[in-house]
């Protein structure tokens, strides 16, 4: 008979650890770079509170083998294997498979061409430890079945029936794996059933929120962190929460240490993948990333990963923990980093940990980029970045602030004085809606509005192109539905605006921003108008804003990406009164003519072209210049920018032929 992997639905947690293990086993035990390459050959399915894994059964009669017109599928070593070189992507095997285990996928191969391949479980052919999914299943729900183990299993079932042996759902069971009798550990299943409720962090009083810019959420207390860490099931060595995080933080490992009260050890593991954990614990959209994939999410609420991460960092830093670079040997290389935002700081961190001298240049008076100046203080206290600058400086990273490349220092000088240059400047140019009168007095772009507000709170002088705008007593309308729009809404409320309305052209379910931010804005007094499309900025006799002409919309059919587009409702025009309008539609890369002067190629959107998946990662068309973060991919998340900064640092180390002293 052919060998195959079988799943036990009574033991399956639905944790996706098998999927992660499968993909890593087919990618040299590394995390893949993009979501498009996450192609597991085993799939976890969930329905009606039941969970199980589906995989190829390596059928004796193999209908996929019989259906293949090109001989790409063959029987080999008691399994059914696919020859990817011969596969023509015809999908006949996908249709023939009775288990839905075959998947035909396409991937680009260059020059506008694509290659179609059939993917199925290959039992990790050639892997010494056998199938990775079986090895990494935390509840023992997966077993590799051979002729002997199948015979033993049948005998055990007959014996159990004859003796009325206790059943698995009574709390214990026996299983047969690779011919060996083993006791199945059902503790994970019981732990999942008995897990306590999710606890979100406490908030400051609503009255204080409305009149000030103190951080909204409080850090967990030690008892809160302990109780919430106990909820984690630790789903495999490489769990789905780790996989969903762009930084691939070792989440179950440091939560396990919190359970044991070992906060210092936990923060060491946290910093292996993340140089700003106290920041990402506050501003990262965990509900869409790590917590979004949590095994407990649907049953009892995801583990509060972000708040535990914040707790670890605050406890350790307050106790004096600092990164230990005493064993790092300096190397004779010097790299310039343009931009002290998340991408630049993550790049500098990796380079410093490998002995490379690093100087970071930034036009702002404090590090952090938009972390400091774009995110309001009620979400991220600005003292955190000042503290982190001291930590980075102690690591040997030099900062030259209030220094703009192309204005204060030419790029050519950096290229002459350094062995490589990394560009992580972010995106600062606001998207325009193309509305009539959008340049009129009383219409403001979101980012300059937020930056000027933060500088006022920090006691820093404002710039002519970023003047402070006081919304006190005004009727404010914010156009947009993302987190930046919510930041503008909630900042205006704290100024004492008479009325603040967020106007968005889709319905609430299709808002791109965090649901938590919308909830907080409502609590603080914001109003919302959904399914409205702005047509024109209305002006009074003095030429100032007095309202916005709107058209009501309804949600149409989903587009190719599954997102429903708004459709105008005829005859539904109306004017929404406003004497201040904030445009929060997102950001484009700002002009950097000094880049093209040095042979750096940009795309049609003004983003820097960088070699994302080559051996010298994130290298631009000028081999001495590297780039990452929003300047390469467009406006995105803090964690994606940090991940790209780290990847670029490894590309720089390869380019400079610097031996790795710190491998994470």
């Amino acid at each position: 008979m052919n060998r195959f992997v079988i799943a036990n639905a009574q033991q399956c947690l639905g944790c996706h650890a098998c999927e992660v293990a499968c993909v890593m086993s087919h990618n040299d035990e590394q995390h893949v770079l993009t979501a498009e390459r996450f192609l597991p050959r085993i799939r976890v399915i969930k329905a009606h509170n039941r969970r199980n894994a589906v995989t190829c059964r390596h059928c004796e009669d193999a209908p996929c083998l019989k259906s293949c017109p090109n001989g790409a599928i063959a029987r080999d070593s008691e399994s059914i294997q696919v020859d990817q070189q011969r596969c023509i992507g015809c999908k006949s095997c996908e249709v023939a498979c009775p288990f839905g285990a075959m998947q035909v996928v396409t991937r680009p191969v260059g020059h506008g061409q694509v290659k179609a391949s059939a993917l199925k479980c290959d039992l990790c052919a050639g892997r010494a430890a056998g199938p990775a999914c079986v090895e990494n299943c935390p509840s023992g729900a997966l077993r590799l079945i051979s002729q002997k183990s199948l015979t033993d299993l049948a005998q055990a079932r007959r014996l159990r029936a004859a003796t009325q042996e206790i059943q698995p759902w009574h709390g214990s069971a026996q299983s047969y794996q690779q011919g060996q009798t083993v006791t199945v550990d059902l503790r994970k299943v019981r732990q999942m059933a008995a897990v306590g409720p999710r606890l979100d962090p406490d908030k400051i009083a609503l009255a204080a929120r409305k009149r000030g810019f103190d951080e909204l959420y409080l850090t967990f207390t030690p008892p809160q962190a302990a109780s919430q860490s106990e909820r984690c099931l630790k789903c495999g060595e490489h769990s789905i929460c780790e996989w969903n995080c762009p930084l691939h933080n070792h989440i179950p490992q440091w939560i396990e240490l919190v359970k044991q009260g070992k906060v210092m050890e936990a923060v060491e593991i946290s910093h292996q993948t993340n140089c700003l954990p106290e920041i990402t614990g506050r501003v990262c959209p965990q509900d869409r990333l790590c917590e979004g994939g949590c095994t407990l999410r649907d049953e009892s609420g995801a583990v509060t990963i972000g708040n535990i991460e914040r707790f670890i960092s605050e406890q350790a830093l307050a106790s004096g923990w600092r990164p230990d670079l005493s064993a790092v040997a300096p190397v004779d290389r010097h790299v310039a980093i343009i931009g002290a935002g998340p991408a630049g700081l993550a790049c500098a961190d990796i380079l410093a940990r490998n002995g490379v001298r690093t100087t970071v240049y930034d036009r702002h008076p404090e590090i952090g980029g938009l972390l400091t100046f774009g995110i309001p203080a009620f979400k991220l206290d600005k003292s955190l970045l000042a503290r982190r600058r001291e930590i980075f400086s102690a690591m040997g990273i030099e900062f030259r602030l209030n220094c703009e490349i192309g204005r204060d220092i030419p790029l050519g000088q950096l290229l002459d004085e350094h062995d490589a240059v990394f560009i992580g400047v972010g995106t600062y140019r606001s998207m325009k809606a193309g509305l009539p009168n959008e340049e009129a007095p009383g219409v403001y772009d979101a980012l300059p509005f937020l930056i000027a507000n933060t500088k006022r709170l920090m006691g820093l002088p404002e710039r002519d192109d970023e003047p402070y705008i006081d919304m006190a007593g005004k009727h404010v309308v914010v156009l947009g539905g993302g987190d930046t729009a919510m930041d503008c809404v909630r900042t205006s409320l704290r100024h004492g605006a008479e009325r603040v309305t967020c106007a968005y052209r889709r319905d609430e379910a299709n808002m791109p921003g965090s649901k938590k931010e919308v909830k907080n804005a409502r609590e603080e007094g914001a109003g919302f108008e959904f399914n409205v499309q702005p047509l024109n900025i209305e002006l009074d006799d003095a030429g100032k804003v007095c309202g916005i002409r709107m058209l009501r919309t309804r949600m149409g059919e989903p587009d190719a990406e599954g997102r429903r587009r708004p459709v105008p409702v005829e005859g539904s025009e109306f004017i929404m009164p406003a004497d201040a309008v904030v445009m929060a539609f997102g950001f484009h890369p700002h002009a950097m003519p000094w880049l093209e002067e040095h042979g750096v190629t940009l795309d049609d959107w003004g983003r820097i072209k960088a070699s994302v998946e080559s051996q010298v990662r994130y290298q631009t068309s000028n081999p001495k210049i590297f780039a990452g973060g929003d300047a390469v991919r467009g406006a995105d998340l803090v964690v994606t920018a940090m991940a790209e900064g780290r990847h670029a640092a490894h590309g720089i180390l390869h380019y400079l032929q610097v031996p790795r002293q710190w491998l994470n």
Side-chain angles (χ1 to χ4, degrees):
M1 62 164 282
N2 289 330
R3 297 181 302 156
F4 60 95
V5 172
I6 193 169
N8 185 335
Q10 292 173 334
Q11 293 168 236
C12 181
L13 304 175
C15 66
H16 300 276
C18 56
E19 293 182 356
V20 173
C22 176
V23 175
M24 294 190 72
S25 73
H26 290 89
N27 287 277
D28 299 321
E29 301 300 331
Q30 300 297 313
H31 293 97
V32 296
L33 300 179
T34 61
E36 291 75 19
R37 288 179 56 189
F38 184 76
L39 298 169
R41 298 160 189 215
I42 182 171
R43 292 282 182 180
V44 174
I45 58 173
K46 297 182 182 181
H48 309 296
N49 295 322
R50 298 295 300 275
R51 303 159 293 273
N52 207 12
V54 175
T55 187
C56 176
R57 300 299 180 92
H58 294 268
C59 307
E60 284 282 292
D61 58 353
C64 59
L65 185 153
K66 294 177 181 178
S67 71
C68 181
N70 206 44
I73 303 177
R75 184 176 282 105
D76 178 42
S77 300
E78 298 182 331
S79 65
I80 305 299
Q81 300 290 326
V82 178
D83 183 345
Q84 302 295 346
Q85 300 303 315
R86 302 184 71 174
C87 178
I88 60 175
C90 66
K91 297 192 177 181
S92 62
C93 58
E94 192 171 80
V95 173
C97 179
F99 299 105
M102 301 292 303
Q103 182 184 19
V104 176
V105 299
T106 58
R107 67 182 190 279
V109 292
H111 307 293
Q113 308 254 330
V114 297
K115 170 75 168 93
S117 302
L119 293 184
K120 60 173 288 297
C121 171
D122 57 5
L123 295 177
C124 289
R127 188 173 185 271
C133 58
V134 175
E135 182 183 10
N136 288 275
C137 179
S139 66
L142 299 177
R143 288 173 289 166
L144 178 62
I145 300 297
S146 63
Q147 180 64 66
K148 184 176 188 311
S149 60
L150 192 61
T151 300
D152 290 347
L153 182 60
Q155 290 176 347
R157 285 178 174 172
R158 286 195 295 269
L159 179 62
R160 188 171 60 217
T163 62
Q164 292 298 300
E165 185 178 319
I166 191 169
Q167 301 298 308
W169 48 88
H170 293 155
S172 66
Q174 285 194 324
S175 175
Y176 292 81
Q177 185 168 333
Q178 296 180 343
Q180 299 296 318
T181 303
V182 296
T183 300
V184 174
D185 187 353
L186 297 177
R187 286 177 298 179
K188 289 283 185 186
V189 180
R190 291 196 293 268
Q191 182 185 354
M192 184 174 181
V195 73
R198 174 187 168 97
L199 173 69
D200 287 308
D202 297 327
K203 301 178 185 179
I204 63 174
L206 183 58
R209 287 162 58 183
K210 289 182 175 181
R211 64 172 180 264
F213 283 84
D214 290 340
E215 274 196 349
L216 170 62
Y217 291 102
L218 303 178
T219 303
F220 273 163
T221 63
Q224 288 174 326
S227 71
Q228 291 304 289
S229 64
E230 287 292 340
R231 300 181 70 243
C232 179
L233 301 177
K234 195 176 181 184
C235 307
E237 184 64 23
H238 296 289
S239 60
I240 193 66
C241 57
E242 173 188 305
W243 188 276
N244 283 0
C245 171
L247 290 169
H248 302 307
N249 288 329
H250 304 313
I251 295 166
Q253 285 76 14
W254 46 254
I255 290 182
E256 187 68 21
L257 289 168
V258 174
K259 292 181 186 180
Q260 301 169 22
K262 299 178 178 178
V263 172
M264 293 301 187
E265 291 86 345
V267 84
E268 286 284 353
I269 293 180
S270 174
H271 276 76
Q272 287 179 6
T273 54
N274 186 355
C275 65
L276 299 170
E278 74 277 27
I279 307 299
T280 56
R282 286 168 163 85
V283 303
C284 196
Q286 290 96 1
D287 59 324
R288 287 152 50 193
L289 299 173
C290 55
E291 293 182 14
C294 179
T295 305
L296 296 174
R297 184 192 64 182
D298 296 333
E299 280 77 9
S300 55
V303 175
T304 46
I305 296 170
N307 293 293
I308 296 173
E309 179 180 45
R310 171 177 172 172
F311 165 80
I312 293 168
S313 306
E314 292 300 337
Q315 286 282 102
L317 292 174
S319 299
W321 179 91
R322 295 295 184 269
D324 182 8
L325 271 63
S326 59
V328 175
V331 296
D332 187 22
R333 291 288 186 271
H334 192 187
V335 174
I337 292 178
I338 303 173
L345 295 176
C347 183
D349 178 74
I350 293 293
L351 294 175
R353 290 174 181 274
N354 284 277
V356 176
R357 194 156 54 98
T358 305
T359 302
V360 182
Y361 300 81
D362 196 277
R363 71 183 183 94
H364 289 300
E366 184 56 87
I367 72 167
L370 294 184
L371 287 175
T372 297
F373 297 99
I375 297 177
F378 53 77
K379 290 169 64 175
L380 182 63
D381 189 281
K382 304 311 166 186
S383 66
L384 301 177
L385 275 305
R387 178 179 65 185
R388 186 54 74 166
R389 175 162 57 91
E390 295 176 358
I391 294 171
F392 284 135
S393 296
M395 293 170 62
I397 299 170
E398 179 185 354
F399 291 98
R400 294 191 58 181
L401 305 176
N402 289 312
C403 180
E404 186 170 346
I405 304 304
R407 184 192 68 184
D408 301 316
I409 297 178
L411 177 59
Q413 180 178 335
L414 294 189
L415 291 169
D416 291 340
E417 295 176 352
H418 299 81
D419 298 296
V421 174
F422 172 77
I423 300 171
V425 293
T427 53
Y428 281 82
R429 181 165 59 93
S430 299
M431 289 184 184
K432 298 294 185 180
L435 300 176
N437 302 320
E438 67 179 17
E439 302 296 335
V443 181
Y444 310 104
D445 288 331
L447 194 53
F449 168 64
L450 293 172
I451 289 174
N453 182 77
T454 296
K455 286 186 174 180
R456 172 67 66 92
L457 291 173
M458 296 174 69
L460 299 172
E462 65 186 54
R463 289 168 48 133
D464 292 340
D465 58 340
E466 296 168 346
Y468 175 74
I469 308 299
D470 189 354
M471 295 297 189
K474 298 182 186 294
H475 289 186
V476 181
V477 175
V478 178
L479 300 178
D483 286 348
T484 299
M486 291 304 102
D487 291 345
C488 294
V489 164
R490 299 174 66 198
T491 296
S492 299
L493 288 167
R494 284 160 173 76
H495 284 185
E498 179 69 22
R499 182 177 68 238
V500 181
T501 304
C502 174
Y504 183 56
R505 66 193 184 109
R506 291 185 169 90
D507 59 11
E508 184 169 0
N510 282 275
M511 289 183 78
S514 167
K515 303 297 183 286
K516 179 174 65 176
E517 292 300 301
V518 174
K519 179 176 181 290
N520 287 330
R522 276 203 174 98
E523 289 176 354
E524 293 162 11
F528 288 84
E529 278 278 0
F530 296 106
N531 293 114
V532 290
Q533 176 76 48
L535 300 177
N536 183 57
I537 304 294
E538 299 290 314
L539 307 181
D540 61 18
D541 293 339
K544 288 194 62 178
V545 170
C546 65
I548 309 171
R549 184 173 296 277
M550 294 285 198
L551 177 69
R552 295 201 180 276
T553 64
R554 59 179 176 81
M555 297 308 297
E557 294 301 313
D559 59 18
E561 297 179 353
R563 197 168 190 205
R564 300 174 66 192
R565 294 194 173 278
V567 177
V569 176
E570 291 187 17
S572 63
E573 288 189 19
F574 70 101
I575 294 177
M576 181 181 294
D579 43 31
V581 177
V582 182
M583 315 283 274
F585 296 123
F587 314 106
H588 286 309
H590 49 286
M592 294 175 283
W594 40 272
L595 274 179
E596 294 182 272
E597 292 171 5
H598 289 274
V600 175
T601 304
L602 308 180
D603 67 12
D604 294 340
W605 294 91
R607 298 173 300 194
I608 301 170
K609 287 188 176 182
S611 54
V612 174
E613 295 198 33
S614 68
Q615 190 172 26
V616 186
R617 300 184 61 189
Y618 289 88
Q619 190 176 44
T620 70
S621 49
N622 182 326
K624 200 172 181 178
I625 298 177
F626 294 72
D630 291 1
V632 170
R633 67 161 52 228
D636 208 329
L637 304 175
V638 171
V639 279
T640 54
M642 292 176 66
E644 293 194 353
R646 290 169 61 87
H647 296 325
H650 287 296
I652 292 170
L653 293 173
H654 186 276
Y655 170 71
L656 298 179
Q657 298 182 333
V658 174
R660 307 292 175 87
Q661 301 184 54
W662 195 76
L663 298 179
N664 283 285

